[in-house]
Amino acid sequence: GEAIGGDKEIITNLELLYPLSKKMGVIMSAFFDAGNAWKEGEMFFSQPNRRATAPQLGLYKSVGVGIRWFSPMGPLRIEFGHGLDEVYDSSKNKVEFNMGQTF
């Protein structure tokens, strides 16, 4: 029942994109994400006081791969991500599906 979040955050993303078929608009991606949110009174990059094992530099990290298709209906994405840090109530693997533009 305890809310998790903060009043400040840092998020970073590194993506490598490789066109599988330029004619069909299919792209493969590999990514690295890192980020966290800190509560009032916590400093950026501090180890958050939570039940999870504190990540290095206070940033949770993940890696993954995906496929993007610029279909006639709009962009479609399916991605698989793997968390590199222990989080107390979350699995390490996640699959996401997205339709439409992101911003």
Side-chain angles (χ1 to χ4, degrees):
E2 181 184 337
I4 297 176
D7 62 350
K8 51 194 161 291
E9 70 179 350
I10 292 179
I11 299 171
T12 186
N13 173 270
L14 174 67
E15 282 188 322
L16 298 173
L17 303 175
Y18 180 78
L20 295 177
S21 171
K22 288 184 181 182
K23 183 177 179 179
M24 293 186 61
V26 179
I27 297 173
M28 183 178 88
S29 68
F31 61 86
F32 170 80
D33 297 328
N36 200 354
W38 291 268
K39 298 182 204 177
E40 187 174 339
E42 293 179 332
M43 296 297 296
F44 285 105
F45 302 109
S46 66
Q47 303 299 326
N49 186 15
R50 304 199 181 106
R51 291 174 274 198
T53 304
Q56 185 178 12
L57 293 177
L59 297 174
Y60 292 97
K61 298 162 290 302
S62 64
V63 294
V65 294
I67 296 287
R68 299 176 186 181
W69 177 36
F70 295 95
S71 76
M73 298 183 318
L76 302 174
R77 297 169 62 157
I78 187 162
E79 296 177 320
F80 170 79
H82 176 75
L84 299 175
D85 300 294
E86 293 294 326
V87 180
Y88 68 94
D89 65 348
S90 181
S91 69
K92 284 195 166 247
N93 300 315
K94 187 172 186 180
V95 175
E96 290 189 356
F97 178 73
N98 187 329
M99 296 175 64
Q101 296 289 341
T102 60
F103 57 96

